[in-house]
Structures are given as C-alpha cells and as structure tokens.
Amino acid sequence: MTTEHDDSGIEDLSFLRQVLRDLTHEIAAPLTPLFGHLDLLELRTQDKLTPMQMRCIHAMRRSLRRLSAINDRMLELARLERGHIPCEPAPLSPQAAVTEVVRRYSKEGVSRGIELVPRLEEQPAIRIMADWNLLVMALGHLVDNALRYEPEQGSVEVVVEDRKDQCGLMVVDHGPGVPERELERIVRPFYRVTDQEGYTETAGLGLTIVELIARRLGGRLELRLTDPGASERPGLTATFLVPRLE
C-alpha cells in the first residue's frame, strides 16, 4: 500500500512540473531590474534618507534576495524533475566531495559565526558510484540548511560514514531541529514545519532537491534528530546514502 507521504509527494511534484517552467521565468524577469533600482535609489539618496528609510531599503533587499533564492530552487527542482541536469555516475571519493563543499561554504559559516568541520581523518579510502556535480549540489543544500539553523558560535559537522555496501555523507547540526512527527514530511515541496518560527529562504525546497538527487543516484536521504533527548536544540542529522564500491 502506498503511504500518505508518498501520495502527497507525487501529487505535489506533478503539480510543480506543470507550473514551474513558466513561473520561474516570470519571477526572474523583474528581479534584476528591481535590484538595480534599489541600488540606484540607495546610491543617489543615501545622504538624504532617514535611518528608518534606510532600514526599509535593507528590508526590501532582503526580501528580494529571499525571492531570488526561492526562484533559483524552483528552477533547479524543475530541471531535476525533467531530467535536464545530466547524471553521469562514476567512481569517486566521498572525502573529496566533502572537502569541496566545506571549501565552498566555509566563508558563509564564518560570516554566521559557525565552524564547518569535516570529519575525515579516521576514514579509510572509500570509493562510491555517483555523479560529482549532483553529489556536490546535494551536499551543498544540506550544509546550507544546517548553517541556517545552527546557533551562532556553534559548529556543523560533515562526516563520511562507511555502511558496508553504502556510504553515508552526514551533515550534523545542533539547531532547533523539527518535531519527530515531521521528519518524514519535510522533504515535501514547500512543506513548512507547523511550530517552527521564522521563515526559510528556500521555502522548503532544499530537502526535496536532495531527495530527488539521492534517488537518481540509487540512494536515499535519511533524517533524524541529532540529540532526541534535548528539549531546546535537538538538532538535525541528514545522511545522504549512495552506493559504495568494493
């Protein structure tokens, strides 16, 4: 029997396939001139604006960046759904992929006051079968998500775990986590955790993209709380599983 989660995911993705192609282009078209108009407004009136007006401009810029991020994820999801992003699995090193993602996101971590820590030193040489670009894309989404919710002065760990015929690439944070009842649902497109405060810049699409990539690579995405016993910050551990080579 198909579960409710599976049915909902299929229905959501079928709907997205119908609308995302045109919607992403319609949203993208006005974004560039809007950013330009804000830059021009700030440049020409910077000395004349009140502190309140400057805060309003900065708030508008943040909102535009959020909209741009949402649109980028929508486009990425639509391309994955239509098979427009190449998938060419080949033997590669998961440690190399982790090193590359940590390099790309370390600067963002520093800006947020968060240490990004790769855990590779105790792992033997492991080879996996995966597409490099898709693997790095998926890990990037997981790290980006973890950095967003990790408290300042905290750390996000990226771990390579050997599981016999599979290899797990784990991203571990110590943020607010999600209620355990929501873990199977947060991979749905645009799903919002009911009691989580604030908003997410990617509108809940990051984990949807990661799960799609995992399926294309013959693997899966596992989600669990980092510390289920913690009352305030149970955190979230996301494990991206891919086939391991002997």
Side-chain angles (χ1 to χ4, degrees):
M1 176 181 293
T2 304
T3 65
E4 179 183 353
H5 163 61
D6 290 338
D7 285 341
S8 299
I10 292 171
E11 291 175 3
D12 288 341
L13 291 176
S14 296
F15 172 75
L16 285 172
R17 279 194 293 265
Q18 298 174 22
V19 302
L20 288 185
R21 180 179 302 177
D22 294 330
L23 185 58
T24 51
H25 293 292
E26 290 295 326
I27 292 175
L31 283 178
T32 300
L34 282 174
F35 276 116
H37 293 326
L38 266 183
D39 291 339
L40 188 61
L41 176 63
E42 189 172 5
L43 180 64
R44 292 189 174 183
T45 61
Q46 188 171 12
D47 297 333
K48 302 175 183 178
L49 296 178
T50 66
M52 176 63 75
Q53 290 170 328
M54 286 299 298
R55 286 196 293 271
C56 288
I57 287 180
H58 292 160
M60 286 188 287
R61 194 184 303 279
R62 285 195 300 272
S63 295
L64 282 175
R65 286 173 179 163
R66 177 174 178 252
L67 181 59
S68 180
I70 292 172
N71 196 59
D72 288 345
R73 298 300 185 270
M74 289 169 61
L75 180 60
E76 200 170 74
L77 180 58
R79 293 180 63 205
L80 279 168
E81 269 294 290
R82 297 196 298 269
H84 289 183
I85 297 181
C87 179
E88 300 176 353
L92 57 85
S93 163
Q95 290 93 335
V98 167
T99 300
E100 173 62 18
V101 171
V102 169
R103 182 191 67 79
R104 293 186 184 185
Y105 284 87
S106 289
K107 185 176 181 179
E108 181 179 348
V110 170
S111 70
R112 294 172 182 256
I114 299 169
E115 184 181 9
L116 194 53
V117 183
R119 300 292 187 193
L120 307 174
E121 61 277 8
E122 297 180 0
Q123 290 293 335
I126 300 174
R127 303 288 287 177
I128 61 175
M129 180 65 70
D131 179 272
W132 173 265
N133 291 325
L134 288 179
L135 180 63
V136 170
M137 180 190 297
L139 278 178
H141 280 298
L142 294 179
V143 170
D144 181 69
N145 190 69
L147 289 175
R148 186 174 301 114
Y149 294 111
E150 179 70 24
E152 190 174 352
Q153 304 305 317
S155 64
V156 169
E157 299 177 15
V158 189
V159 185
V160 176
E161 181 182 60
D162 190 1
R163 294 193 183 183
K164 295 183 179 179
D165 60 340
Q166 290 184 313
C167 174
L169 292 93
M170 303 168 58
V171 178
V172 184
D173 73 56
H174 311 87
V178 299
E180 285 193 88
R181 66 181 182 275
E182 306 277 5
L183 285 174
E184 292 184 358
R185 304 171 186 168
I186 58 175
V187 297
R188 296 179 186 173
F190 301 106
Y191 187 80
R192 305 279 302 231
V193 177
T194 53
D195 58 355
Q196 183 173 322
E197 297 180 359
Y199 60 79
T200 170
E201 294 177 0
T202 55
L205 286 176
L207 291 178
T208 307
I209 291 171
V210 173
E211 186 176 63
L212 282 175
I213 293 174
R215 290 178 181 177
R216 288 193 67 181
L217 295 178
R220 68 183 190 276
L221 174 64
E222 289 184 351
L223 299 173
R224 64 174 177 83
L225 299 182
T226 302
D227 184 2
S231 58
E232 292 186 1
R233 295 175 180 171
L236 183 68
T237 294
T239 304
F240 188 89
L241 289 164
V242 289
R244 184 192 190 283
L245 295 178
E246 295 296 335

